[in-house]
Every structure is written in structure tokens, then in C-alpha cells.
Amino acid sequence: MVRLYSLKNPIYEPFRNYLLNKCETNRLTNINEVQGNWSFDVDEAIDEILSQSTENELAVDKQIVKRILFHLKAGKHVILVGPPGVGKTDLARRILKIVGKRVIGNDSFLESVASDEWSRYEVIGGIDLHRKFQEGYITKAVVDKRWLLIDEFNRANMNKAFGEMFLAVEYHEIKLRPSELEFYPIHTIKIPESFRIICTMNDFDKNLLLTELSYGLINRFAFVSITPELKREPEVVDRRVKSLLGEDDAGYESCREQIDRYFDFITDVRKHRNIGVRTSIDVIKYLVAAIQDEKNTHERSDDRDEDYKWKYLNDALCDYVLPQFDRLDRKTIDNVFTYAESHLKEKPFEPFRTELKNASERLKEAAGWLANKDVP
């Protein structure tokens, strides 16, 4: 193998460029020969994806994961939709790694995070300041024979960033622009039938996405809502909080009543607003840590307010759950307030209930102002 750094003299530049171009051409050949083996055992793959031995156990329904795998088998790319903290990105990573290994023999995938600055350059590619063609994420993933993850998909300007990508995945080829042809060894990059993309997006922004993007383009993806598996969630949260805090069963069980009350409340809330598992972990992690510190600080029981555990739960609800209601409509806020009055009626929860009531009143005033506003 020729060591290019040993040929630094300018007279060797043509030879160096020849070798580099040869290597690049070899990299770009046989892209379409990546065959997909879709005959793997789906249930076995799901068990591995949701395995409890993984560092961050997921509380996602197995049927949801099965739907995602069936979409991939059917030739669709997938967008995972859900609230922050429900496990969309972690689930996407596991699917791309575990299923990618089974299908194309490669558990390495290309990961990217979209932003409002994205354009065709980041997705397909373009000419850089050095007059070289820089591959965008989909182009690089295809030529590297890897699958692609686009996190926070909705942050990008849909048509500006992804317009050409949607056409590319539809017709299984990436076409370069005429001005780019002299800067890249091949002019049309074939996308293998086995190539897949998984994207993630927050459910807050789904309706906005649907208005920005034509339904013809949307039909190229399957939209799957990711929701917690309610029966498994308490067990998963239990194990993860203990792992994160190093708490023993006694420390965790000391606030069992508060934990059970939280899940009763949040289960009803989820009838109207999906709340991610990470929120449950944050609430209970705060609760356990605060109560444990309280015990260490006040060794004598008469030094503590008897409602201190409930107060800590109220604090956690105000700091982790309440901000997720900011963009909701008044009807949903009123429903949450009703559940709070049912499950959190004690005095320590008055701050949380008051914030919900105030939010409802603000929305009522805003609706009244709009109704009475003079129309020119």
C-alpha cells in the first residue's frame, strides 16, 4: 500500500489525486449489491430491542415495535412520533443496529440531528469552499452501505431540506446537479432496495409538519406513535431509578405511596396528553433523592413536616410535568385539572392545582379577547 504522506512533494500531486480518486471510486462501486435478508425472526429481534439487559430499558409496547419492523419489511421508511422522553431516539438506534445487522449485515448506522439551518447541502450534498463535493447524510449513508437515523426531523424546513431526498428514496436514486458532476466520480447514486431511514419527531409538531408537507411526500413514510406501555412502566422506572441513584429497596419503598399516586394521576392525564417515560423517571428520581436527603438531615421524626413527601411530589410535578401543558388547549388543561382534584386533592398539591387553574383562565381570557376583537 502506498503511503501518501511519504509523497509530499508537489510533483507527486497528480499521482496522489489519482490514488485518492481510485479509492473513492472503489468505495462507490457495488452500492446496489447490498442485498437485504428480511427473513429474520421478528419476535426474537423485538426481544433483543427491548431486552432488560440493555443499559436503558425501554417501556414501549412490543406491538408498537412489531409494527415498526413490519413497516421496514414492507419497504417503508419510518417516522417515530411522540412526546419528549418517550424513548423515540433510543428505540430508533436499537432498531437500526439490531435489525440492520440482520438485514444488511451491518449494525453501524449513520446518525444525524436535523436543524432549521438544514438545506439540500446537509441531506444530499454539495460543493464546499474547496471545490469538492461533500456528501450529505443520505448520500453518505447509501455509499457507506449503512442505514440512516434523522433525529428531530421536524426541526428542518421540510421542502428546503428534504424535497430531493423524498424523490430520491421514491425512485431509489440520488441525482447530482449538472454543476456537481465534475466533482464526484459517479453522477447517479443508486439506492439499494434494502436501504432504510428512521426519523424521530415530537408530537407537538406533527400537525405543523402535515401542513408544511404535501401528502404525496408524507405517503413515503409510515408515522408510528410511540407511547409508554403503562403496565410495564412502573417496573421499568423502578429499575432505572434504583440504578441511577444506587438506592436500595428500602429507600425506594419509603415513598411508594407517592409513586403509586403519581402513576394513578399520570395514567389519567395520558388519556388526553401523552407524557414520556423520561418524565416519570425524572419525577420519581427527584422524589426519592429529596426524601432520602430529608431523612438524612432530620433523623428525628418530629423534626419533619408530616406532609414533606407530598410536597416533594408537588415540586416534581410543577417542575417536570407542568411545562408540558404550556401549548395545550383549554379543554385538555381543564381535564388535567379535574384529574388533579381527584388524585392530588391534598393541601401540598395546591401550588400545582393553582398553576393549572391559572393556565385555564389565561386561555379563557385569550379566547374571549379573540371573540370580541373587531374584524376590519
Side-chain angles (χ1 to χ4, degrees):
M1 178 179 177
V2 178
R3 296 183 179 180
L4 295 183
Y5 64 79
S6 65
L7 304 174
K8 296 180 180 180
N9 193 300
I11 65 172
Y12 294 116
E13 184 173 355
F15 181 59
R16 290 200 307 269
N17 290 338
Y18 168 80
L19 290 177
L20 289 172
N21 289 332
K22 189 69 175 176
C23 291
E24 185 66 5
T25 301
N26 290 338
R27 172 174 168 260
L28 295 171
T29 57
N30 302 323
I31 293 174
N32 210 38
E33 293 181 5
V34 180
Q35 301 297 320
N37 176 18
W38 294 98
S39 62
F40 64 90
D41 188 311
V42 171
D43 290 325
E44 182 182 276
I46 293 172
D47 288 340
E48 186 175 351
I49 290 167
L50 298 178
S51 173
Q52 295 184 13
S53 64
T54 54
E55 183 178 358
N56 294 317
E57 185 179 353
L58 294 174
V60 178
D61 193 304
K62 293 180 69 172
Q63 290 303 314
I64 292 178
V65 182
K66 181 174 285 190
R67 280 168 53 195
I68 296 170
L69 300 196
F70 284 164
H71 285 310
L72 295 174
K73 274 195 166 190
K76 281 287 189 180
H77 307 284
V78 179
I79 297 179
L80 308 184
V81 183
V86 78
K88 302 183 297 296
T89 303
D90 198 8
L91 177 60
R93 287 170 178 157
R94 297 185 192 192
I95 292 173
L96 291 168
K97 178 181 177 68
I98 293 168
V99 179
K101 178 67 174 178
R102 286 168 164 78
V103 175
I104 62 173
N106 189 358
D107 61 2
S108 173
F109 57 91
L110 185 61
E111 182 171 350
S112 59
V113 181
S115 75
D116 58 359
E117 297 180 352
W118 269 28
S119 65
R120 178 187 182 276
Y121 184 88
E122 284 74 25
V123 180
I124 301 295
I127 308 301
D128 64 14
L129 296 177
H130 302 289
R131 304 295 292 168
K132 293 182 179 179
F133 182 84
Q134 292 295 324
E135 297 168 347
Y137 284 110
I138 185 173
T139 304
K140 183 170 178 57
V142 169
V143 299
D144 286 348
K145 304 176 180 65
R146 294 190 284 171
W147 284 358
L148 176 63
L149 167 60
I150 304 178
D151 204 10
E152 304 289 351
F153 178 73
N154 50 285
R155 289 188 178 183
N157 180 300
M158 291 296 108
N159 293 313
K160 176 184 174 184
F162 299 119
E164 289 190 40
M165 184 190 83
F166 291 126
L167 294 175
V169 298
E170 174 73 10
Y171 296 104
H172 299 286
E173 62 179 23
I174 302 169
K175 291 185 176 180
L176 302 188
R177 293 174 176 174
S179 60
E180 299 165 342
L181 299 182
E182 64 177 292
F183 300 100
Y184 204 62
I186 56 177
H187 299 164
T188 299
I189 303 162
K190 296 295 183 180
I191 300 178
E193 293 285 345
S194 59
F195 177 72
R196 295 293 183 272
I197 304 170
I198 298 182
C199 307
T200 71
M201 64 176 294
N202 291 333
D203 54 357
F204 276 128
D205 303 301
K206 182 180 179 182
N207 290 336
L208 178 61
L209 175 69
L210 294 178
T211 60
E212 285 189 2
L213 213 55
S214 71
Y215 281 93
L217 296 180
I218 290 172
N219 287 338
R220 291 171 171 84
F221 283 79
F223 287 75
V224 180
S225 294
I226 307 301
T227 57
E229 185 180 1
L230 300 183
K231 291 183 179 179
R232 283 188 63 236
E233 183 185 14
E235 299 175 7
V236 172
V237 172
D238 183 315
R239 286 189 284 267
R240 291 186 62 174
V241 170
K242 288 177 181 176
S243 174
L244 290 167
L245 296 180
E247 290 289 336
D248 54 21
D249 289 341
Y252 197 88
E253 292 300 324
S254 67
C255 47
R256 172 59 64 186
E257 186 178 0
Q258 288 72 32
I259 293 172
D260 291 343
R261 183 80 69 86
Y262 164 78
F263 279 116
D264 289 341
F265 169 66
I266 216 68
T267 297
D268 276 343
V269 169
R270 282 175 171 148
K271 296 174 183 176
H272 305 278
R273 169 64 190 148
N274 199 355
I275 302 294
V277 177
R278 187 172 62 201
T279 298
S280 297
I281 293 173
D282 289 338
V283 167
I284 295 173
K285 189 168 60 172
Y286 174 89
L287 179 65
V288 173
I291 290 176
Q292 189 61 44
D293 184 74
E294 185 79 18
K295 286 183 176 181
N296 294 337
T297 304
H298 303 281
E299 295 181 358
R300 294 179 303 167
S301 60
D302 55 359
D303 286 340
R304 291 196 300 264
D305 183 339
E306 62 180 9
D307 289 332
Y308 75 99
K309 293 181 180 180
W310 299 111
K311 289 180 178 178
Y312 285 136
L313 178 55
N314 172 80
D315 293 344
L317 290 170
C318 287
D319 296 342
Y320 294 116
V321 177
L322 195 61
Q324 301 191 44
F325 301 144
D326 284 348
R327 296 164 62 182
L328 301 183
D329 58 272
R330 187 187 174 201
K331 182 178 179 181
T332 302
I333 296 292
D334 288 344
N335 285 326
V336 174
F337 180 73
T338 300
Y339 297 137
E341 286 194 314
S342 173
H343 295 291
L344 310 171
K345 53 182 176 291
E346 292 86 354
K347 184 176 178 57
F349 296 108
E350 187 173 332
F352 182 70
R353 296 196 306 270
T354 299
E355 287 295 327
L356 288 172
K357 188 174 182 180
N358 290 341
S360 177
E361 289 298 321
R362 288 193 296 270
L363 290 172
K364 180 180 179 181
E365 290 177 6
W369 180 81
L370 290 173
N372 295 325
K373 191 175 184 293
D374 292 333
V375 179

